[in-house]
Amino acid sequence: MRIFIAGASGAIGARLVTQLVARGHQVVGTTRSQAKTGPLRALGAEPVVVDALDPDSVADAVAKAAPEVIVHQLTALSGPSGMRQVKRMAAATNRLRTEGTDHLLAAARAVGVGRFVAQGNSLWMERTGGPVADETGRIEPNPPADAAAAVAALRHVEDAVTGITWADGIVLRYGSFYGPGTGLSAAPDAVMTEQIRKRRFPIIGSGDGVWSLVHIADAAAATAAAVEEGETGIYHVADDDPAPVRVWLPYLARTLGAEPPRRVPAWLARPLAGEGAVDMMTRARGISCEKTKRELGWTPQHPSWRTGFVHGLS
């Protein structure tokens, strides 16, 4: 098939390009930077520079590509980890998940795309119903105020994409990424790794929040399967070992050769990190991926972060 990947130069986008090209597909991949067109071409994609927030730019690129499938992997979540930078990246990502999604959907409909696959996220599953949610679960309807915009953007992606009637609209709720090219890898400049090594990524409150994690290569493989086989709806993508932060974070610190993470009371963390961070650390739910395995024939090569952190960070 001819596949258009919006956000092809990102951590999962680059992996996805490689996997789809290896499967015999033709891939057109977008980037915001002319400097990244060379690396995309080296991976086997036809690169194109696109401003995803400009509807004309998106429409023109999609029309020229004439794809059968569009994959939406647009985020702005890479760069320095200072508070101001993080807020700017979050705001830019929210726009890509709202305006960017709408521009891509309009362009997809105009050229008769048959399948539209979009990136979602599982960290904001509704905070009721037990430690693990399946695809029937919904995004948290009443998030903390400082997370409301991000959660609303995720909800927009899900509603807009799964609500289309002219093509298969698929949203992949990914677990938290780790592995090469992500913020959690063996690279010295990986943001989350650096914070853990410097003991700046603490366990907040009880640390009972359950997170699902997924190696970036496994996430890309599930996405490739959705591109080829997916039907309208939501699919979960994570390993088989959802676990509380208080369990996986100390294990990760040991794997990295770092000191154990600090413990910070929730009351102290709220004014510093925000209510959203406290909520994710204390109330988050993991996800089940049985539907994805059953319907897409996908199995993670790293079924647990316990071995994935040891063998999959580099």
Side-chain angles (χ1 to χ4, degrees):
M1 294 184 292
R2 189 161 173 82
I3 301 164
F4 184 96
I5 302 178
S9 60
I12 189 168
R15 288 268 185 172
L16 183 57
V17 168
T18 301
Q19 294 197 21
L20 290 174
V21 169
R23 292 172 182 239
H25 300 295
Q26 293 178 295
V27 178
V28 176
T30 80
T31 177
R32 291 173 291 175
S33 169
Q34 185 67 41
K36 294 182 179 179
T37 58
L40 277 177
R41 189 175 287 108
L43 293 176
E46 177 186 334
V48 58
V49 177
V50 175
D51 178 358
L53 297 178
D54 179 349
D56 293 334
S57 177
V58 174
D60 183 61
V62 171
K64 289 179 179 176
E68 297 162 76
V69 181
I70 287 181
V71 183
H72 175 7
Q73 294 287 348
L74 294 166
T75 68
L77 297 175
S78 62
S81 59
M83 187 63 70
R84 289 181 180 177
Q85 293 93 333
V86 168
K87 287 183 178 180
R88 282 199 295 268
M89 289 188 292
T93 296
N94 292 343
R95 290 191 67 194
L96 290 170
R97 286 175 171 160
T98 52
E99 298 170 49
T101 298
D102 291 346
H103 299 336
L104 282 168
L105 284 171
R109 185 171 190 175
V111 300
V113 162
R115 185 170 289 142
F116 191 103
V117 181
Q119 178 184 137
N121 185 282
S122 69
L123 270 175
W124 285 103
M125 298 302 299
E126 187 171 15
R127 303 316 199 208
T128 59
V132 177
D134 64 17
E135 287 84 354
T136 63
R138 61 177 180 169
I139 298 293
E140 172 57 42
N142 299 298
D146 60 346
V151 176
L154 287 171
R155 187 178 296 110
H156 180 86
V157 172
E158 294 195 2
D159 292 346
V161 173
T162 62
I164 62 177
T165 57
W166 39 267
D168 286 315
I170 298 162
V171 174
L172 304 177
R173 286 178 182 156
Y174 296 109
S176 297
F177 295 147
Y178 69 93
T182 73
L184 179 51
S185 72
D189 59 345
V191 172
M192 188 172 174
T193 301
E194 181 182 25
Q195 290 179 330
I196 291 170
R197 285 179 170 146
K198 293 181 178 180
R199 303 188 78 194
R200 294 177 181 172
F201 196 94
I203 298 171
I204 296 176
S206 65
D208 284 341
V210 175
W211 288 30
S212 284
L213 299 110
V214 63
H215 191 276
I216 194 69
D218 285 330
T223 308
V227 165
E228 294 178 339
E229 304 289 343
E231 298 181 354
T232 293
I234 292 171
Y235 294 85
H236 285 175
V237 180
D239 70 18
D240 299 328
D241 195 8
V245 176
R246 58 179 169 75
V247 174
W248 66 259
L249 185 54
Y251 183 96
L252 174 58
R254 290 195 300 272
T255 302
L256 294 172
E259 294 293 315
R262 303 180 192 278
R263 301 294 293 252
V264 177
W267 64 265
L268 180 59
R270 283 191 181 92
L272 299 173
E275 187 63 45
V278 173
D279 191 282
M280 285 193 293
M281 282 277 188
T282 59
R283 302 180 66 223
R285 299 173 70 200
I287 54 174
S288 164
C289 302
E290 294 308 308
K291 173 186 173 181
T292 307
K293 293 179 181 179
R294 182 179 66 252
E295 296 188 8
L296 301 183
W298 171 77
T299 301
Q301 296 301 303
H302 296 280
S304 172
W305 47 267
R306 298 174 191 272
T307 53
F309 287 167
V310 175
H311 303 295
L313 292 182
S314 59

